[in-house]
Amino acid sequence: MTTAPYGSWTSPITAADLASKGHPVSGGQFLGNEVWWTELRPAEGGRQAVRRLDADGQAIDVLPPPWNARTRVHEYGGASWTGTAGGALIFTEFTDQRLYRLDPGANEPVPLSPEPAVPAGLRYAEPQLSADGSELWCVRESHAEDGTIVRDICAIPVDGSAAADSSRVRSIVSGSDFLSGARLSPDGARLAWIAWNHPQMPWDGTELRVAERGADGSWTTVRTLAGSTTESLLQPEWRDSDTLYVISDRTGWWNLYSVGVTAEPKLVPLYPVEADFGGPMWTLGGSWYRPLADGRLLTVRTFGLDTLGILDPATGTLTDVDLGDQTTLYLGDVRDGEVLLRTGGARTPSGLRRLQLPSADSTVVRLSADDLPDTSYLSQAQAMTFPGPQGREVHAIVYPPANPHFTAPDGELPPYVAFVHGGPTAHVTPAASVGTAYFTSRGIGIIDVNYGGSTGYGREYRDRLRGQWGIVDVEDTVAAVQGLAEAGLADPARLGIEGGSAGGWTVLSALTSTDAFACGVSYFGVAELIQFAQDTHDFESRYLDGLIGPLPEARELYETRAPVNNVDGLSCPVLLLQGLDDPVVPPSQAEMFRDAMVAKGIPHAYIAYEGESHGFRRTETIINSSEAELSFYGQVFGFATPGVPTLQLWHPEA
């Protein structure tokens, strides 16, 4: 055992490992005797591949490079492909956002949707085949030359006839700023979906709508069954042609309900409980429950951690399925007593697994990393709760330093970095992460904070951030790291903070309004609000109405809360990392903050990456940004970072 200062420990985990070994998987679907899934390929420029297992159990491409199955609906995308019974793949291509069909044995896909007048101006998500397989039903997002954006649910012929004739595309229903989760009833007579309008986000308020098919085939009789601007409904599914299941948070928790569509609609609770059977709909196509063939529902419920359960609507009983430490769960396809489940845990690597019901026997289809380090290099995640201001609780996941070959000198406390998730309406759970181990195996502790505003703890917890963005998130993060220091677990003089997007906002807000941190790292973080509200994409363009307040009434708050206007309160170094093609948080945000730091003479570094959008996907970017972050901590916290290039910081005297 070698004695060395925290942070200077040598580790077998490199930044190249983060890029080369990591390939996040999602979207499992049964097709014939095969399982298909989506896989992010950093070594291929961040391409989203659709893959399957061959006869030898090896992962191979269904969709070959350079084709990229990724939709830009809402910019965050989501469900972008589906397979047909005949083995064809239908997908949205990232570059032009058109729909394509790749037939078995074909060399090239053929286009299904028309070429848009505006480049990438017609975008498609949540594709599903009609009962006879002749049409593809999708959420369509249409961008006009004047910047107008309209969304609807449309039907596109699978035979490719609409590629050169846009009149072949049928608009089914519209009438709201946003819609998702379209589901056709078993008899084909009704269509259900979720709708919402600005300024609501889908976790604020949505509506469950149903349309009736007319004698002429049109869908003109539309009714709203439930929902409002203060009730969030998610994921309608048909129990039969007259009854729907749906998720609602009307009690303060996303719970499951049934509702009849033939009489006066009334939501009937299936299993009332203080836990969430739902989550924030950042991407399209997510599922929190799946109907099973025997009439029961396979569910995921959350209170901090995820639990798989089987709910019997007839009896109101819920039976949990024991998955050990696998507490991060995403439901995929269900068929014949088995489910495709993306799972992960504190010591279990994340990946797509094929789970048998009810035995819970599982086999790995594809992990999100080729291999993880020896478990002795993986920190044992600890769920902790800290007291916050006004007596509120703050939930966090703590990852202490862990390396089997090193120990710190007697009396030395480790540096800790607070990871602040994005959103800010999001949630983190314990994970066996190479990214986390990159730091903890070197002697840097990590605390992942579910600050007020996070999901997974009910509506009251996530509503704590309404009108309080830049206050509650900062206070809770500070309370968590100071709680670690007061418990004697962290060095109070060596506390850092790191976050991306909305998490980057919290980083910059905390650094300019408190002295709790010795440094901070912002990945494509929000620094200013007036221009941000004008420049960001449509999905989030009114998000600030709830987080800060509506414009122009709240203009003064926008100005006083913005970190770029509070740089006088900043006294520590900052690292800014930014993609130059980011439509969500444009580069101007980082550049404004950089210029403000130059004006005040604050040591910092700003690294901008060509070809990167919102969230880094390319191998070279992942390596460079990770090594820059580690070198930055070493310079600030005072330890050597062997094997990592030295990040050049700007200093006023330079």
Side-chain angles (χ1 to χ4, degrees), residues 296-311:
R296 295 180 300 167
L297 303 176
L298 184 66
T299 68
V300 173
R301 76 180 185 280
T302 305
F303 187 86
L305 305 177
D306 295 342
T307 302
L308 189 68
I310 298 177
L311 174 61

Side-chain angles (χ1 to χ4, degrees), residues 203 280 282 394-397 417-429 446-457 461-462 465 469 473-474 476-477 497-507 521 523-526 543 547 614:
W203 44 85
W282 280 106
V394 179
H395 300 286
I397 311 298
V417 177
F419 278 15
V420 187
H421 66 67
T425 309
H427 180 69
V428 291
T429 55
I446 299 296
I447 177 170
D448 230 340
V449 185
N450 278 317
Y451 50 85
S454 302
T455 50
Y457 302 96
Y461 196 88
R462 74 177 188 268
L465 210 57
W469 195 35
D473 49 327
V474 170
D476 286 2
T477 305
I497 182 171
E498 181 250 64
S501 190
W505 156 275
T506 303
V507 168
V521 179
Y523 282 78
F524 35 87
V526 178
Y543 195 9
L547 294 174
H614 198 65

Side-chain angles (χ1 to χ4, degrees), residues 37 75 89 108 145 177 277 398 412 447 456 530 558 600 634:
W37 68 89
E75 294 299 346
L89 171 68
E108 291 288 325
E145 291 184 357
D177 293 334
F277 290 82
V398 178
E412 183 183 356
I447 177 170
I530 301 294
Y558 279 54
K600 195 189 174 191

